[in-house]
Amino acid sequence: EDFITAINVARTEALKRGDTVMMCRTGNPNAGLSTLACAANEPDGDTNQDRDWTPGWIVYAKPGYTGTGGGADYDRATDGDPIMIGNPSPTGVAILSDGDGNRWLTFFGDGSLNETGAPVYAICDDRGTAKGRMITVPLVGRPHASDTVATCSPT
């Protein structure tokens, strides 16, 4: 529930501000504001594990960002304090994305999503697929979740 709440917060904040709000995965959400970063080293020491949102995430405003080029990473000096920080998932719970939701979700001021396709996230725990959920975020930006998944891989 925390993950889908963060997606909804990011979209709502973009609509409220009329400007870009982003959500990125992070390796250490408890690093402290001065060192908080997108897709930093993951807790197991691997750098930028593709598609793994399990360690946590950051929701932050990115005023004026158009969705192209560099500059998407969180930078407290220019972006201010984060809107929300997601803690690591409980032990045994994994959050994995497909390629469209790999590193960031970018919401524009109209609530739409800046991705090439609709990102999909699988949230599963060690009880197996019968207890997993699949979250899809269509390009209009409103996420929805299924109750069960056939596989714990969104690809």
Side-chain angles (χ1 to χ4, degrees):
E1 295 302 318
D2 291 343
F3 189 72
I4 201 165
T5 295
I7 294 170
N8 282 318
V9 165
R11 183 173 188 267
T12 300
E13 282 292 322
L15 286 164
K16 183 172 81 173
R17 295 166 187 253
D19 209 342
T20 306
V21 172
M22 302 185 73
M23 181 173 164
C24 73
R25 56 188 179 84
T26 184
N28 188 357
N30 301 313
L33 292 178
S34 62
T35 58
L36 193 60
C38 293
N41 288 346
E42 309 298 348
D44 63 8
D46 289 341
T47 302
N48 297 335
Q49 289 175 323
D50 282 344
R51 304 177 182 187
D52 187 0
W53 289 71
T54 305
W57 53 86
I58 310 165
V59 176
Y60 55 100
K62 199 67 170 173
Y65 184 69
T66 63
T68 59
D73 280 335
Y74 172 68
D75 180 351
R76 185 172 183 225
T78 57
D79 302 331
D81 287 344
I83 297 165
M84 179 182 218
I85 300 172
N87 289 317
S89 298
T91 302
V93 175
I95 303 173
L96 304 172
S97 73
D98 66 358
D100 290 316
N102 178 26
R103 193 164 172 194
W104 294 283
L105 280 177
T106 304
F107 291 95
F108 292 126
D110 64 359
S112 66
L113 195 59
N114 177 42
E115 302 297 336
T116 56
V120 179
Y121 301 87
I123 302 176
C124 296
D125 64 20
D126 49 14
R127 295 177 293 172
T129 58
K131 302 295 181 180
R133 296 183 84 184
M134 196 73 73
I135 297 172
T136 303
V137 187
L139 297 180
V140 294
R142 285 185 228 136
H144 59 84
S146 67
D147 289 336
T148 59
V149 295
T151 176
C152 283
S153 175
T155 55

